[in-house]
Amino acid sequence: MIFNDDLIKTLKDGGFIKQKQKDYYSIRIRVVAGNITSEQMRKVSELSEKYGRGYVTFTVRLGIEIPWVHYSKLQEVKEEVVRIGLAMAGCGPRVRPIVACKGTVCPYGLIDTQGLAKKLDDEFFPTPGFPHKFKIGISGCPNNCTKPQFNDIGFQGQVEPELNEDLCTGCGLCADVCDVKAITIKDNLAKRDDDKCIYCGSCIRVCPMDAWKRKRSGVAVFVGGKFGKKYNFGYHIADLVDVEKIPNIIEKTMNFYKSNGISKERLYDTINRIGLENFKKEILEDENIN
Amino acid sequence: MKDIKADSFIDITDVVCPITFVKAKVAIEELEDGQILEVRMNEGEPIKNVPSSFKDEGHKILNVINNRDGTYTIFVKKGGLVNEV
Ligand code: SF4
Ligand code: SF4
Ligand code: SF4
């Protein structure tokens, strides 16, 4: 097979995944926050019929792959993908497609996950220049459907409840539904133990009297998570961080990783080498967060 | 808490999400505004979601009773949140 210079350049941009079958590639298309318009979806279907074998594969990071594209067609497919307003998903040592759950519409969602993913995608995708890949994940609540703890940096929606004592009848429903038993009823009033609370907001949702109110919302921040052969949860470094501060935290984390990381090392290993406390100092200082 | 007299009763302990709320919603739709529906449901997922779904749709939860047998009974006033304010 002949690789001309143009083809090699196209391949380097990423999004072409070699198949084990000779001469065939899967085309990986990035889908921001898992949302794609119906019109784009139809076009992707057409591309899979024209260049592939009439089917697509959904990836774990919410992307779409068109398998079975012959290498001689790669540039052509890429041009068509761009023409319908989509882009190739990168691979290699750069920011990977941002994964977010459907917290924007989910009844449990505490933050606008998809709006946030779109904003972060505009700002950070596909920043290159890291020692290894860099994954960002977002979930709308502590149910963690999208597993933010398995990303280099992950955010999880949270809400801090506050009781209006005048409205509480002491019915005990909030105490019953709190999964971590953070609420007890004393003298017909609900009491919340902040050390146990995971800021899920179930008490607010369930209270018949609307006695629990949303005091403030924000995100828990996890860093250094990864999957693969050697997997581990990200370190939980902060709670209830203002959503507006997220881009700044990502930026600082990226700078830390770029300047301290050594080739082929994931953020987790960099943090462990430099020390979690040192990392936290660098990332969270001037943020005025816990 | 004073006794509440319901206009209608429905038991949703025999169904699972998402039929729980659908069944309860059908029952409340048959009532007039201001009337009261009594709903018996299981602990766990139903008690976490059914009362908040009623609230989302503008009905007011008047009372919640833990029956201590793995079920709850709630009293819902149709349109109680919309008409009050
Ligand atoms: S993480 Fe929470 S908000 Fe997101 S989809 Fe799951 S339950 Fe819904
Ligand atoms: S559910 Fe509401 S009214 Fe009942 S104990 Fe909790 S805060 Fe008080
Ligand atoms: S926010 Fe969640 S964890 Fe905290 S008290 Fe309410 S139900 Fe319990």
Side-chain angles (χ1 to χ4, degrees):
Chain A
M1 100 183 218
I2 309 146
F3 279 111
N4 61 32
D5 286 352
D6 276 356
L7 181 56
I8 288 170
K9 193 177 164 297
T10 303
L11 282 171
K12 269 196 185 149
D13 289 342
F16 303 97
I17 322 296
K18 202 182 138 13
Q19 294 187 192
K20 56 183 172 184
Q21 292 85 3
K22 183 173 175 301
D23 293 350
Y24 285 98
Y25 284 75
S26 289
I27 305 298
R28 186 179 285 173
I29 299 169
R30 138 173 160 270
V31 178
V32 179
N35 291 335
I36 178 169
T37 69
S38 43
E39 183 56 26
Q40 289 169 330
M41 196 77 184
R42 269 191 288 274
K43 293 273 174 54
V44 170
S45 302
E46 283 166 19
L47 293 182
S48 79
E49 284 167 357
K50 187 168 166 193
Y51 296 101
R53 295 196 175 171
Y55 73 97
V56 301
T57 302
F58 294 101
T59 74
V60 173
R61 295 196 80 76
L62 305 177
I64 298 179
E65 282 184 13
I66 301 175
W68 295 108
V69 178
H70 192 260
Y71 78 87
S72 58
K73 299 285 182 193
L74 296 182
Q75 282 146 300
E76 209 176 313
V77 184
K78 183 178 176 177
E79 280 162 24
E80 295 223 29
V81 167
V82 172
R83 211 173 300 139
I84 60 177
L86 292 170
M88 308 294 292
C91 28
R94 61 185 96 194
V95 171
R96 297 301 184 86
I98 296 164
V99 173
C101 75
K102 40 168 256 171
T104 305
V105 296
C106 175
Y108 298 102
L110 300 170
I111 56 169
D112 173 16
T113 49
Q114 298 184 330
L116 176 62
K118 173 87 183 53
K119 186 176 157 194
L120 298 182
D121 183 87
D122 287 346
E123 194 157 343
F124 296 111
F125 187 87
T127 317
F130 299 109
H132 205 323
K133 54 189 153 189
F134 192 89
K135 293 182 174 177
I136 303 174
I138 304 164
S139 78
C141 82
N143 281 339
N144 289 321
C145 296
T146 33
K147 306 169 185 71
Q149 298 86 348
F150 284 129
N151 288 264
D152 294 280
I153 189 156
F155 304 97
Q156 173 214 74
Q158 295 182 316
V159 62
E160 182 180 16
E162 184 176 45
L163 188 71
N164 179 337
E165 298 192 352
D166 295 337
L167 296 178
C168 177
T169 61
C171 74
L173 191 53
C174 56
D176 292 343
V177 303
C178 176
D179 288 314
V180 296
K181 304 258 168 286
I183 300 178
T184 47
I185 306 292
K186 273 195 206 93
D187 305 324
N188 271 327
L189 268 189
K191 287 250 172 317
R192 186 178 62 91
D193 180 346
D194 200 54
D195 291 336
K196 287 188 185 163
C197 181
I198 54 169
Y199 311 113
C200 70
S202 288
C203 49
I204 301 176
R205 272 166 45 75
V206 84
C207 175
M209 306 302 153
D210 285 330
W212 284 114
K213 299 267 187 263
R214 173 187 286 239
K215 185 178 176 193
R216 57 179 174 144
S217 25
V219 290
V221 182
F222 300 90
V223 292
K226 65 196 190 84
F227 221 65
K229 291 198 191 75
K230 288 196 292 178
Y231 46 84
N232 52 270
F233 279 109
Y235 295 112
H236 182 174
I237 59 165
D239 281 314
L240 290 167
V241 174
D242 189 347
V243 171
E244 299 299 314
K245 289 183 174 160
I246 290 175
N248 193 13
I249 288 176
I250 294 178
E251 186 131 20
K252 284 186 181 172
T253 303
M254 286 176 164
N255 290 340
F256 173 92
Y257 185 35
K258 279 183 178 172
S259 50
N260 294 293
I262 48 184
S263 179
K264 297 274 175 240
E265 173 180 80
R266 284 289 286 275
L267 178 62
Y268 173 73
D269 303 300
T270 315
I271 292 176
N272 286 348
R273 233 175 357 87
I274 309 287
L276 181 61
E277 288 312 312
N278 294 329
F279 170 80
K280 272 164 77 172
K281 217 181 287 162
E282 203 161 308
I283 304 310
L284 301 179
E285 72 169 1
D286 352 299
E287 290 300 341
N288 192 22
I289 48 187
N290 17 347
Chain B
M1 164 105 23
K2 61 183 182 312
D3 278 346
I4 296 169
K5 172 97 182 59
D7 297 289
S8 176
F9 170 77
I10 185 151
D11 190 322
I12 57 169
T13 57
D14 57 339
V15 286
V16 294
C17 173
I19 306 300
T20 40
F21 184 62
V22 173
K23 212 174 155 185
K25 187 175 155 71
V26 169
I28 204 157
E29 238 129 67
E30 285 168 1
L31 298 182
E32 303 292 327
D33 273 0
Q35 286 192 307
I36 293 166
L37 177 69
E38 177 180 350
V39 191
R40 181 168 171 263
M41 69 192 76
N42 287 322
E43 63 186 6
E45 195 277 327
I47 193 63
K48 272 192 186 168
N49 292 309
V50 173
S52 57
S53 299
F54 272 124
K55 281 197 295 176
D56 288 345
E57 303 209 348
H59 310 300
K60 186 175 168 68
I61 314 290
L62 300 174
N63 198 12
V64 180
I65 297 160
N66 186 341
N67 299 316
R68 306 275 163 216
D69 61 354
T71 70
Y72 284 82
T73 299
I74 69 170
F75 292 87
V76 193
K77 185 175 181 184
K78 181 166 182 178
L81 293 178
V82 182
N83 301 328
E84 222 164 57
V85 276

